Amino acid sequence: MNSITPFNLRHAVSVECSPVHDFVGQNWPALQNAASLLGGRRASQEANRLFDDLSSNAKIGPHTQRRLDRLLRLLELDDDAVNDTVLLNVIHPSNPIVEEICLLCDGLRHASEQASHICGLL
């Protein structure tokens, strides 16, 4: 195929997305809201960058993996990731949002583990 052919081979190849792509795609608004609630504007921007990375690449590269790991630590309420000055201090443990954040965290962790396992097989 020569360089003047309008057909782009990149779009002709069927690429299977990872479980992380699927989970983030299905749960994006909730993940973005949780990041904003737990980490403030900075975490929200980081989550948006993660979404952009996953939207534009079928493969999870090192930068995307680091963003994914940071989002997981935030959802796990890691002291280094959670911004104490935001609404976390207002959330009561019995609030239903806590259960939703836990479900998001479990789902994202499971998808990440599945993606790691699939990549290890290739």
Side-chain angles (χ1 to χ4, degrees), residues 7-110:
F7 182 68
N8 188 344
L9 285 177
R10 185 174 53 134
H11 297 293
V13 178
S14 175
V15 177
E16 178 118 1
C17 290
S18 75
V20 171
H21 287 85
D22 293 338
F23 184 82
V24 170
Q26 293 170 3
N27 296 285
W28 173 242
L31 287 166
Q32 206 276 334
N33 288 335
S36 180
L37 178 67
L38 298 173
R41 193 183 72 167
R42 185 178 213 160
S44 178
Q45 290 171 338
E46 180 76 6
N48 284 328
R49 287 186 200 106
L50 172 65
F51 184 76
D52 291 343
D53 288 351
L54 291 172
S55 297
S56 61
N57 297 304
K59 183 178 177 186
I60 298 175
H63 295 293
T64 305
Q65 186 62 52
R66 282 193 290 274
R67 286 187 174 116
L68 178 62
D69 292 341
R70 284 192 293 265
L71 180 58
L72 272 169
R73 284 197 338 264
L74 181 68
L75 295 174
E76 291 170 347
L77 303 179
D78 183 321
D79 290 337
D80 294 331
V82 176
N83 185 344
D84 290 334
T85 62
V86 268
L87 298 177
L88 180 63
N89 295 326
V90 180
I91 301 173
H92 191 273
S94 65
N95 189 323
I97 193 86
V98 173
E99 183 177 347
E100 290 179 32
I101 290 171
C102 290
L103 290 172
L104 284 172
C105 181
D106 291 344
L108 188 58
R109 185 182 313 106
H110 181 70

